[in-house]
Amino acid sequence: FTFAFTYLYNPETKCFNSLKYDLQKKNSHILNKLSNGLNEQERIYQRDLYGECELNFFIKSFIKTMFDNMCDLFFFFQVYAILLWCLTDFLIYGCIVSVLVLYSLIESSYTTRKNLLNIRNMCKYSISVNIYQNNEIINQPINTIVPGDVFELPEDGQNVPCDCILLSGSVIVNESMLTGESTPILKTHLPKTNNSFNYEEDNKYMLFGGTKIVQKRPENKGKILCLCYSTGFNTLRGNLIRSVLYPKKDIS
């Protein structure tokens, strides 16, 4: 088990910011230098820093979930009303309401936990990929990918394991899971220029985790290589899952 510090405190903004992979380099440097991959020590360091490439989160037990629902103020009001009815001449009415309240509590707790389990199972993705390490190809489980890794893109029909930069070839992907766009999108590889890489401007050369690979188009029968940019909850899909798990409260 490895624990990743994914947030760092920024004294200027007085808030915690997520840890991002530093890739403020020119495109030519990315294609020439970073395309060789990381060595074993660098991969271990990156894994300790960013964690494993998976969207795993803790789910409370059914009893704990039901207890949290019982702590709601409206539930205390319902208990107070039931006790008040039972102490008066509305004993039967109070018993009926208590049964309905208990059923609603159990049903809501079960539904909440079931939805969280479905989300976690949806995020699980277990295949193996070829990763370039010390100019050698090693076959590793997909959850071992770390930012900075160079790996071969999985076969058609599989999902992209992380947010990554396309280094060679072109790929048609389906991003309907993230953006709702039903039309497949063509992604081309990063051009060899002296411009510095910019996430906002160069995302057309990026593949996002969770999107489905429709068709790969290699150049000169070569391999489709990608450079891992972010993993886990730092990916676009991870941010989407995190917003579902912990929605922002409307201050207004």
Side-chain angles (χ1 to χ4, degrees), residues 47 82 135 152 162 174 176 221 231:
R47 188 177 299 113
I82 292 173
N135 294 324
E152 296 180 11
C162 58
N174 185 357
S176 59
K221 298 182 179 181
T231 59

Side-chain angles (χ1 to χ4, degrees), residues 77-97:
F77 171 76
Q78 289 176 318
V79 173
Y80 170 77
I82 292 173
L83 292 176
L84 185 63
W85 290 326
C86 291
L87 293 176
T88 56
D89 295 334
F90 298 94
L91 180 61
I92 298 177
Y93 180 75
C95 293
I96 295 175
V97 174

Side-chain angles (χ1 to χ4, degrees), residues 128-140:
S128 58
V129 291
N130 293 327
I131 301 175
Y132 284 65
Q133 178 177 298
N134 292 334
N135 294 324
E136 297 181 356
I137 300 177
I138 57 174
N139 189 268
Q140 293 287 326

